[in-house]
Amino acid sequence: MLTSTVLAMTHAGYVAAGWIATVGLLGGYAAATIRKGRRLSQVVPPEERRWT
């Protein structure tokens, strides 16, 4: 006879998974945006850089 174990998520598990996914996605997007900004800032000539 084959027995199977069912892993049930509770409401707290769904909430935690949602928070982890949200924070992970936003953190990844922020990191990608910062990396792209730093890379693009090297393209602008020093005399045209308004942020310095």
Side-chain angles (χ1 to χ4, degrees), residues 15-33 35:
V15 171
W19 273 99
I20 291 169
T22 301
V23 170
L25 286 172
L26 289 176
Y29 179 70
T33 302
R35 277 195 312 263

PDB file of all heavy atoms in Angstrom, residues 15-33 35:
ATOM      1  N   VAL A  15       0.989  33.846   3.975  1.00  0.00           N
ATOM      2  CA  VAL A  15       1.364  35.236   4.224  1.00  0.00           C
ATOM      3  C   VAL A  15       2.877  35.386   4.189  1.00  0.00           C
ATOM      4  O   VAL A  15       3.409  36.305   3.559  1.00  0.00           O
ATOM      5  CB  VAL A  15       0.795  35.721   5.582  1.00  0.00           C
ATOM      6  CG1 VAL A  15       1.349  37.089   5.952  1.00  0.00           C
ATOM      7  CG2 VAL A  15      -0.722  35.757   5.530  1.00  0.00           C
ATOM      8  N   ALA A  16       3.597  34.483   4.835  1.00  0.00           N
ATOM      9  CA  ALA A  16       5.055  34.545   4.844  1.00  0.00           C
ATOM     10  C   ALA A  16       5.613  34.375   3.432  1.00  0.00           C
ATOM     11  O   ALA A  16       6.525  35.107   3.029  1.00  0.00           O
ATOM     12  CB  ALA A  16       5.625  33.466   5.772  1.00  0.00           C
ATOM     13  N   ALA A  17       5.067  33.448   2.667  1.00  0.00           N
ATOM     14  CA  ALA A  17       5.535  33.239   1.294  1.00  0.00           C
ATOM     15  C   ALA A  17       5.280  34.487   0.453  1.00  0.00           C
ATOM     16  O   ALA A  17       6.116  34.882  -0.364  1.00  0.00           O
ATOM     17  CB  ALA A  17       4.837  32.025   0.677  1.00  0.00           C
ATOM     18  N   GLY A  18       4.149  35.127   0.648  1.00  0.00           N
ATOM     19  CA  GLY A  18       3.841  36.355  -0.079  1.00  0.00           C
ATOM     20  C   GLY A  18       4.798  37.475   0.261  1.00  0.00           C
ATOM     21  O   GLY A  18       5.277  38.198  -0.624  1.00  0.00           O
ATOM     22  N   TRP A  19       5.107  37.644   1.542  1.00  0.00           N
ATOM     23  CA  TRP A  19       6.058  38.679   1.962  1.00  0.00           C
ATOM     24  C   TRP A  19       7.455  38.388   1.426  1.00  0.00           C
ATOM     25  O   TRP A  19       8.149  39.296   0.949  1.00  0.00           O
ATOM     26  CB  TRP A  19       6.102  38.771   3.488  1.00  0.00           C
ATOM     27  CG  TRP A  19       5.064  39.687   4.039  1.00  0.00           C
ATOM     28  CD1 TRP A  19       3.861  39.337   4.566  1.00  0.00           C
ATOM     29  CD2 TRP A  19       5.124  41.106   4.098  1.00  0.00           C
ATOM     30  NE1 TRP A  19       3.171  40.462   4.944  1.00  0.00           N
ATOM     31  CE2 TRP A  19       3.927  41.561   4.674  1.00  0.00           C
ATOM     32  CE3 TRP A  19       6.085  42.041   3.715  1.00  0.00           C
ATOM     33  CZ2 TRP A  19       3.666  42.908   4.876  1.00  0.00           C
ATOM     34  CZ3 TRP A  19       5.815  43.388   3.920  1.00  0.00           C
ATOM     35  CH2 TRP A  19       4.618  43.809   4.489  1.00  0.00           C
ATOM     36  N   ILE A  20       7.874  37.147   1.515  1.00  0.00           N
ATOM     37  CA  ILE A  20       9.217  36.781   1.038  1.00  0.00           C
ATOM     38  C   ILE A  20       9.326  37.023  -0.462  1.00  0.00           C
ATOM     39  O   ILE A  20      10.321  37.583  -0.938  1.00  0.00           O
ATOM     40  CB  ILE A  20       9.532  35.318   1.400  1.00  0.00           C
ATOM     41  CG1 ILE A  20       9.711  35.195   2.914  1.00  0.00           C
ATOM     42  CG2 ILE A  20      10.767  34.828   0.671  1.00  0.00           C
ATOM     43  CD1 ILE A  20       9.770  33.779   3.416  1.00  0.00           C
ATOM     44  N   ALA A  21       8.301  36.647  -1.212  1.00  0.00           N
ATOM     45  CA  ALA A  21       8.325  36.858  -2.660  1.00  0.00           C
ATOM     46  C   ALA A  21       8.336  38.346  -2.986  1.00  0.00           C
ATOM     47  O   ALA A  21       9.086  38.798  -3.864  1.00  0.00           O
ATOM     48  CB  ALA A  21       7.115  36.182  -3.301  1.00  0.00           C
ATOM     49  N   THR A  22       7.524  39.125  -2.278  1.00  0.00           N
ATOM     50  CA  THR A  22       7.448  40.567  -2.534  1.00  0.00           C
ATOM     51  C   THR A  22       8.763  41.261  -2.221  1.00  0.00           C
ATOM     52  O   THR A  22       9.279  42.046  -3.032  1.00  0.00           O
ATOM     53  CB  THR A  22       6.312  41.195  -1.702  1.00  0.00           C
ATOM     54  OG1 THR A  22       5.082  40.557  -2.050  1.00  0.00           O
ATOM     55  CG2 THR A  22       6.204  42.681  -1.949  1.00  0.00           C
ATOM     56  N   VAL A  23       9.312  40.979  -1.055  1.00  0.00           N
ATOM     57  CA  VAL A  23      10.580  41.607  -0.661  1.00  0.00           C
ATOM     58  C   VAL A  23      11.700  41.169  -1.602  1.00  0.00           C
ATOM     59  O   VAL A  23      12.540  41.981  -2.000  1.00  0.00           O
ATOM     60  CB  VAL A  23      10.919  41.265   0.811  1.00  0.00           C
ATOM     61  CG1 VAL A  23      12.328  41.692   1.170  1.00  0.00           C
ATOM     62  CG2 VAL A  23       9.914  41.926   1.739  1.00  0.00           C
ATOM     63  N   GLY A  24      11.707  39.905  -1.991  1.00  0.00           N
ATOM     64  CA  GLY A  24      12.730  39.419  -2.910  1.00  0.00           C
ATOM     65  C   GLY A  24      12.656  40.085  -4.272  1.00  0.00           C
ATOM     66  O   GLY A  24      13.671  40.503  -4.834  1.00  0.00           O
ATOM     67  N   LEU A  25      11.445  40.210  -4.804  1.00  0.00           N
ATOM     68  CA  LEU A  25      11.282  40.850  -6.110  1.00  0.00           C
ATOM     69  C   LEU A  25      11.647  42.333  -6.059  1.00  0.00           C
ATOM     70  O   LEU A  25      12.352  42.830  -6.946  1.00  0.00           O
ATOM     71  CB  LEU A  25       9.848  40.685  -6.605  1.00  0.00           C
ATOM     72  CG  LEU A  25       9.486  39.292  -7.099  1.00  0.00           C
ATOM     73  CD1 LEU A  25       7.995  39.203  -7.375  1.00  0.00           C
ATOM     74  CD2 LEU A  25      10.274  38.960  -8.349  1.00  0.00           C
ATOM     75  N   LEU A  26      11.183  43.036  -5.034  1.00  0.00           N
ATOM     76  CA  LEU A  26      11.505  44.462  -4.929  1.00  0.00           C
ATOM     77  C   LEU A  26      12.998  44.685  -4.681  1.00  0.00           C
ATOM     78  O   LEU A  26      13.589  45.618  -5.224  1.00  0.00           O
ATOM     79  CB  LEU A  26      10.683  45.110  -3.813  1.00  0.00           C
ATOM     80  CG  LEU A  26       9.197  45.264  -4.102  1.00  0.00           C
ATOM     81  CD1 LEU A  26       8.465  45.817  -2.888  1.00  0.00           C
ATOM     82  CD2 LEU A  26       8.975  46.154  -5.311  1.00  0.00           C
ATOM     83  N   GLY A  27      13.600  43.831  -3.876  1.00  0.00           N
ATOM     84  CA  GLY A  27      15.041  43.937  -3.643  1.00  0.00           C
ATOM     85  C   GLY A  27      15.841  43.674  -4.907  1.00  0.00           C
ATOM     86  O   GLY A  27      16.811  44.373  -5.194  1.00  0.00           O
ATOM     87  N   GLY A  28      15.431  42.682  -5.668  1.00  0.00           N
ATOM     88  CA  GLY A  28      16.106  42.389  -6.933  1.00  0.00           C
ATOM     89  C   GLY A  28      15.958  43.519  -7.933  1.00  0.00           C
ATOM     90  O   GLY A  28      16.904  43.882  -8.628  1.00  0.00           O
ATOM     91  N   TYR A  29      14.762  44.105  -7.994  1.00  0.00           N
ATOM     92  CA  TYR A  29      14.526  45.224  -8.907  1.00  0.00           C
ATOM     93  C   TYR A  29      15.363  46.437  -8.495  1.00  0.00           C
ATOM     94  O   TYR A  29      15.960  47.108  -9.339  1.00  0.00           O
ATOM     95  CB  TYR A  29      13.044  45.586  -8.929  1.00  0.00           C
ATOM     96  CG  TYR A  29      12.732  46.752  -9.829  1.00  0.00           C
ATOM     97  CD1 TYR A  29      12.814  46.620 -11.202  1.00  0.00           C
ATOM     98  CD2 TYR A  29      12.358  47.985  -9.304  1.00  0.00           C
ATOM     99  CE1 TYR A  29      12.532  47.685 -12.033  1.00  0.00           C
ATOM    100  CE2 TYR A  29      12.081  49.050 -10.121  1.00  0.00           C
ATOM    101  CZ  TYR A  29      12.165  48.905 -11.495  1.00  0.00           C
ATOM    102  OH  TYR A  29      11.897  49.968 -12.303  1.00  0.00           O
ATOM    103  N   ALA A  30      15.419  46.722  -7.200  1.00  0.00           N
ATOM    104  CA  ALA A  30      16.213  47.850  -6.705  1.00  0.00           C
ATOM    105  C   ALA A  30      17.696  47.637  -7.015  1.00  0.00           C
ATOM    106  O   ALA A  30      18.385  48.558  -7.458  1.00  0.00           O
ATOM    107  CB  ALA A  30      16.006  48.025  -5.203  1.00  0.00           C
ATOM    108  N   ALA A  31      18.189  46.433  -6.792  1.00  0.00           N
ATOM    109  CA  ALA A  31      19.600  46.144  -7.072  1.00  0.00           C
ATOM    110  C   ALA A  31      19.901  46.289  -8.557  1.00  0.00           C
ATOM    111  O   ALA A  31      20.933  46.862  -8.936  1.00  0.00           O
ATOM    112  CB  ALA A  31      19.956  44.735  -6.592  1.00  0.00           C
ATOM    113  N   ALA A  32      19.007  45.808  -9.413  1.00  0.00           N
ATOM    114  CA  ALA A  32      19.215  45.926 -10.856  1.00  0.00           C
ATOM    115  C   ALA A  32      19.192  47.384 -11.295  1.00  0.00           C
ATOM    116  O   ALA A  32      19.993  47.803 -12.148  1.00  0.00           O
ATOM    117  CB  ALA A  32      18.142  45.128 -11.601  1.00  0.00           C
ATOM    118  N   THR A  33      18.297  48.172 -10.717  1.00  0.00           N
ATOM    119  CA  THR A  33      18.210  49.590 -11.062  1.00  0.00           C
ATOM    120  C   THR A  33      19.466  50.341 -10.644  1.00  0.00           C
ATOM    121  O   THR A  33      19.991  51.173 -11.395  1.00  0.00           O
ATOM    122  CB  THR A  33      16.974  50.226 -10.401  1.00  0.00           C
ATOM    123  OG1 THR A  33      15.814  49.520 -10.828  1.00  0.00           O
ATOM    124  CG2 THR A  33      16.842  51.684 -10.755  1.00  0.00           C
ATOM    125  N   ARG A  35      22.498  49.034 -10.175  1.00  0.00           N
ATOM    126  CA  ARG A  35      23.607  48.595 -11.037  1.00  0.00           C
ATOM    127  C   ARG A  35      23.550  49.273 -12.397  1.00  0.00           C
ATOM    128  O   ARG A  35      24.568  49.723 -12.921  1.00  0.00           O
ATOM    129  CB  ARG A  35      23.570  47.071 -11.216  1.00  0.00           C
ATOM    130  CG  ARG A  35      24.210  46.308 -10.093  1.00  0.00           C
ATOM    131  CD  ARG A  35      24.470  44.860 -10.491  1.00  0.00           C
ATOM    132  NE  ARG A  35      23.324  44.221 -11.103  1.00  0.00           N
ATOM    133  CZ  ARG A  35      22.447  43.451 -10.476  1.00  0.00           C
ATOM    134  NH1 ARG A  35      22.587  43.233  -9.194  1.00  0.00           N
ATOM    135  NH2 ARG A  35      21.438  42.906 -11.122  1.00  0.00           N
TER     136      ARG A  35
END
